[in-house]
Each structure stands twice: as C-alpha cells, then as structure tokens.
Amino acid sequence: IFGYETEGAEDIARLRMNPGDRRMTQSYASMVWRQRGKDVLRGPIAHLRDAGLCDRGIAHPICCGPAGEWVKGDSDMLGYTGDFSPVMRRHFQNWLRQKYGHYLWALRSAWNDDEVTFDNADVPTPKEQFACRHGALRDPSREQKTIDYYRCLSELTSDALIDFCATVKDATHNEKITGAFFGYLMDQAWNCNFFGFEHQGIDYATLQRCGHLGLHRVLNSPHIDFLVSPYTYAFRGLGGDGQSMQPSESMRAHNKLYLFEEDTLMHNRFEPDGRMHDIAHTPAIYKRNFAYCMTHGQGITWLQSSIYLEYPQIEQEADALHVHMRKIGDWALNLDRAPQHDVAVFLDDESYFYSSNRNDVSLPGVFYAKVVDLPRIGASHGVYLLRDLLEGRVPAFKLGIFLNAFR
C-alpha cells in the first residue's frame, strides 16, 4: 500500500522529513490515504470472488513502505527525522489530548513547559529527537515530548496495519489469514550504513523512527495471524546463526505464526562471489536455517524467483534439499512443538522510548547479544517481550536474561 500526493491537499500529505525539507511516501497519519488504501484492498478481493478464484489463495500480507516492510527508508535509516506533515501534527495533538485526559496542567507538567497547549504542541524537532540529556538515556522530566512522540508514532503505525488487516478479514468473510513484515525489534539497531549504502557517519538506529515499537499491539490483535521477516542480516555465513528479527517466542505466546523469509540466495547474490559466504556453503546455510525454524515452531518461505535464480553449481543439490526438508517439515507437524528452551531472554520494548536514538545501546546491548553471544552460551534460548513475562505468557525456564530492562 503505497502513498501518493495531491498538490495542496494536506490530508493526502506525504511524510515530511525535517521541517521544510523534502517529502517522501505517505504519512501514516493521513486518514485519506488509509481509507483509499482500504478501498484498494477490497477491490481485488471482490474481483477474485466474482471470478470464482477466492479459493486460490490463503493469505493477504499487508506491505507498506519502500520495501513493503513498514520501514520508510530515508526518514528512519538515514540521518533524518519525521513526521512534520500537517496531518501528523494534528494526530499528535489529538493523541496528547487522549493521553493526558484533556487536562492542560497534566501536559505542561509532563513536558515541563508552561507555554505548551494541545493546540500548539508540535512534533519534536530533529535536534530534540536526536538529543539525549543523560548519555544513552532520556530524562523524562525534560524530554517527555520526544518520548510521547515516539510512542504516538509506534501506536499509529501498528494501528494502521491492524486496520488494514481488519479490512481484509471483513472483505474475505474471515476466511483468509493476514499479516505483515513487522516488529523487527531485535535487529533495528542498524541503519543504511549497515547495508553498504554510500552514506557515511550515521550512528542513529532505525528502531524508534520507523514505528515497529507497536509490535505488542499487533501481537494482541485478533485481526493479524502471521508476521514475517528476513532472518538477521549479520553473521549469516558458516559459524553464524539464522534468527528471526522479531522476539521469536513472543509470536508463539500470542498464537501468531512466524514466517522465516529464507533470502540467503537474494542477499548473497548482491556480490558476484557471494556477499555473505562462499557459494559452496549455501546448502549448509539452508540446513542451519531450516533446523532453526523446526526447533522454534516456525514456518519458512524460500525467496527464489526469475530474478534470483539458484546458483547453477548447486542447483541440483538445492532442489533435492528442498524436497527433503519439505518431507521433514510435514512429518514435524505431528510433533509437540511447544517451547523447550532452558533460557528465556527478555526484551523491554518500553525502554526504547527512554533510550537514545543513537545505536550505542541497542547495538551492543541487543543486536550483538543476539548474533554473537546468545547462540554460543551452550543452552537453548527463546526471546520474549518483557511484557509477556509480566502477563504470565512465558513457560517455565531455568535462567532469565534481561537485555535492556532500564529506563
């Protein structure tokens, strides 16, 4: 669901990066965009039903943003901030009214600002969004404005996704499953530099600026059945570990299916001799990733197409491997797939609102722990949101590791 713009029409505004700067894609706060997006979803579904083809598909993934992953690209992976469009400003003001119960004294006390009102409250400036008064932690007594904005953005993003999925459920009479590429909380310490783009010196994380911190709202929604992500983009070669970008066991705890996008072929083909590993290592990588999905009760999708063809030198081996893994997967459906890990790892999504936008905390504290430390502790582990522990959703475990339980 991509955005568009009509000159002079604020309600179809694109996200505006930095006050007065260029605009890109849609603003998630645009209700015109959302309504027309829902109309676009209903149209093809009705056409398939009229043509008698509804039984040819089982799922409707909702894709938004430049890569369909609810990540804006420039506005959250480069050194920009947003959203300064008029519709976002109005949405933020209405969100503040709801949070503070329309009590002006509550807003002014929280923001430590005697001049702010619900009518003049604005999206934090780039300087305010990138600032952090206590090293890596925000000071709520002086930076509640930024904390509120990122919470508002995360709720807006997740609610838009939920709204689109509810539309699909309604249009398909609840006969199809819905989901999205969303909730990359374990990985989004990265930015464009991580992927080799020609933008140097950016040390800000993607996580807060993209809206994925609304994952818990998505997990609690009855309209969403599955989540998808590529496996983590770091340390993919031999000796590495293919893990989901979302907290793996949180999805199971909320009865959501996770689909592991096996995009080894696509990502490795970005360089002629292999971006991540030698071509000959690919079958071993496929086996490792399949084993991860098997032991975590996950689904797997293979990203292979006419654009990303299998390497000729391993094509026969890979084809035979796919058939073999399909048989194992079908057999495993009859097994007890309940979590069996000894170690429970907890990610506090709330703490990100109180942390710096820089990746000096999330990179070593979460991302490195995920790709370097946890796979090598000698015990099986599962990753949950801290909320799941507080809500009694976590099965018995022997050791708990809290990655970022601070604010």
Side-chain angles (χ1 to χ4, degrees):
I1 301 174
F2 294 96
Y4 46 83
E5 183 179 16
T6 298
E7 187 68 28
E10 290 184 351
D11 288 336
I12 317 178
R14 294 188 178 193
L15 175 148
R16 187 182 291 274
M17 301 184 303
N18 296 356
D21 205 344
R22 62 192 180 94
R23 292 170 286 180
M24 62 167 294
T25 67
Q26 67 283 353
S27 170
Y28 290 149
S30 170
M31 291 299 103
V32 174
W33 162 74
R34 190 185 296 193
Q35 184 56 52
R36 293 187 182 179
K38 291 192 288 186
D39 292 342
V40 167
L41 290 171
R42 292 189 186 99
I45 293 172
H47 176 73
L48 290 173
R49 180 180 297 109
D50 293 342
L53 298 174
C54 258
D55 60 342
R56 303 299 179 90
I58 62 172
H60 291 268
I62 306 299
C63 299
C64 188
E69 297 174 279
W70 292 84
V71 175
K72 289 295 186 115
D74 287 5
S75 65
D76 46 36
M77 293 184 68
L78 291 176
Y80 294 100
T81 59
D83 171 2
F84 299 98
S85 65
V87 289
M88 185 62 195
R89 186 178 299 113
R90 290 196 295 271
H91 176 82
F92 186 39
Q93 291 167 351
N94 289 330
W95 184 91
L96 292 170
R97 290 185 177 96
Q98 295 300 314
K99 176 181 178 180
Y100 293 105
H102 293 263
Y103 292 113
L104 186 57
W105 64 265
L107 173 65
R108 288 179 171 177
S109 175
W111 282 24
N112 195 19
D113 183 352
D114 293 335
E115 302 297 326
V116 68
T117 70
F118 292 114
D119 294 323
N120 68 15
D122 208 347
V123 171
T125 65
K127 182 178 180 180
E128 289 173 320
Q129 292 189 40
F130 285 145
C132 204
R133 293 180 180 273
H134 285 304
L137 298 177
R138 293 193 176 106
D139 179 358
S141 69
R142 304 179 68 183
E143 296 174 282
Q144 187 63 41
K145 177 181 180 180
T146 302
I147 295 169
D148 279 347
Y149 171 70
Y150 282 125
R151 189 183 299 276
C152 172
L153 176 63
S154 70
E155 293 182 7
L156 172 65
T157 306
S158 57
D159 288 350
L161 169 57
I162 292 169
D163 197 9
F164 287 136
C165 287
T167 299
V168 170
K169 289 290 189 181
D170 178 68
T172 62
H173 308 304
N174 211 31
E175 295 176 349
K176 307 298 180 183
I177 61 175
T178 61
F181 288 78
F182 192 81
Y184 299 0
L185 305 193
M186 298 296 292
D187 273 62
Q188 287 178 329
W190 38 247
N191 53 42
C192 62
N193 287 350
F194 182 87
F195 296 95
F197 299 156
E198 295 181 0
H199 301 282
Q200 302 301 318
I202 299 172
D203 52 6
Y204 298 107
T206 298
L207 188 56
Q208 296 182 55
R209 293 180 290 158
C210 73
H212 279 224
L213 284 172
L215 174 63
H216 68 281
R217 298 169 75 89
V218 169
L219 291 176
N220 282 299
S221 170
H223 304 301
I224 294 179
D225 304 296
F226 65 88
L227 292 173
V228 197
S229 78
Y231 67 102
T232 188
Y233 280 118
F235 209 176
R236 283 188 163 197
L238 293 184
D241 190 30
Q243 301 182 61
S244 60
M245 293 187 177
Q246 297 90 341
S248 58
E249 306 311 315
S250 276
M251 293 177 283
R252 282 208 278 180
H254 289 266
N255 200 30
K256 308 298 184 188
L257 172 65
Y258 170 67
L259 295 175
F260 179 112
E261 184 183 68
E262 223 298 5
D263 64 346
T264 294
L265 179 61
M266 179 201 76
H267 199 65
N268 212 36
R269 274 191 172 276
F270 284 159
E271 294 178 12
D273 297 324
R275 186 178 199 177
M276 304 173 298
H277 51 74
D278 294 339
I279 296 171
H281 294 172
T282 300
I285 304 299
Y286 288 163
K287 293 177 184 178
R288 179 198 68 196
N289 293 344
F290 177 75
Y292 174 82
C293 293
M294 282 280 295
T295 55
H296 287 77
Q298 300 172 349
I300 187 169
T301 65
W302 301 88
L303 199 154
Q304 183 174 341
S305 67
S306 59
I307 300 175
Y308 301 110
L309 294 171
E310 186 58 86
Y311 294 107
Q313 55 267 53
I314 63 168
E315 184 175 5
Q316 290 186 345
E317 181 181 3
D319 287 348
L321 188 58
H322 289 163
V323 173
H324 182 58
M325 289 189 290
R326 172 63 183 269
K327 292 179 179 179
I328 296 175
D330 289 343
W331 166 78
L333 291 175
N334 298 312
L335 302 178
D336 180 4
R337 308 293 291 278
Q340 300 294 326
H341 47 265
D342 298 317
V343 179
V345 180
F346 299 103
L347 178 78
D348 183 13
D349 52 347
E350 280 279 313
S351 79
Y352 282 113
F353 295 124
Y354 298 87
S355 303
S356 168
N357 249 319
R358 303 176 78 90
N359 53 21
D360 50 1
V361 173
S362 55
L363 194 62
V366 176
F367 190 67
Y368 288 170
K370 172 192 174 182
V371 301
V372 178
D373 300 330
L374 292 173
R376 292 164 181 78
I377 60 176
S380 58
H381 72 277
V383 185
Y384 297 87
L385 291 178
L386 181 57
R387 297 169 187 267
D388 296 328
L389 178 64
L390 301 178
E391 295 170 1
R393 298 178 182 272
V394 181
F397 55 92
K398 297 177 181 178
L399 173 68
I401 298 176
F402 298 83
L403 296 179
N404 65 334
F406 48 78
R407 63 185 72 170

